[in-house]
Amino acid sequence: MVWSDEEKGYVVNVKEGYYFVFKFVDNRLVGMSSVYEGDESQITGKVIFYDFGKVPEITLPEISE
């Protein structure tokens, strides 16, 4: 991982034109992006973790078959 001022996060290069960006606040992961830069376009997927550790436990409903 290498810090990037441009991305304001830590960058991991997968291969040329494809990389991940990880963002931290108070030593906790708060966001992740995957970026693909093609010849004429850029595709970005983002995941944001909000209130990590502050949300009460979630119980999913039972699903009948």
Side-chain angles (χ1 to χ4, degrees):
M1 290 184 152
V2 177
W3 175 259
S4 168
D5 286 331
E6 181 180 339
E7 296 288 346
K8 295 182 175 71
Y10 291 92
V11 175
V12 176
N13 289 307
V14 177
K15 62 181 182 177
E16 187 175 338
Y18 183 50
Y19 60 93
F20 289 95
V21 179
F22 295 91
K23 297 188 178 196
F24 295 85
V25 172
D26 296 329
N27 295 323
R28 291 184 175 200
L29 180 65
V30 295
M32 181 188 80
S33 302
S34 63
V35 181
Y36 173 76
E37 295 176 337
D39 294 335
E40 298 178 16
S41 64
Q42 179 180 11
I43 300 170
T44 304
K46 293 185 179 184
V47 177
I48 298 171
F49 304 101
Y50 184 76
D51 279 346
F52 182 78
K54 295 180 182 179
V55 178
E57 185 175 331
I58 298 171
T59 303
L60 297 176
E62 291 186 29
I63 299 174
S64 59
E65 293 183 34

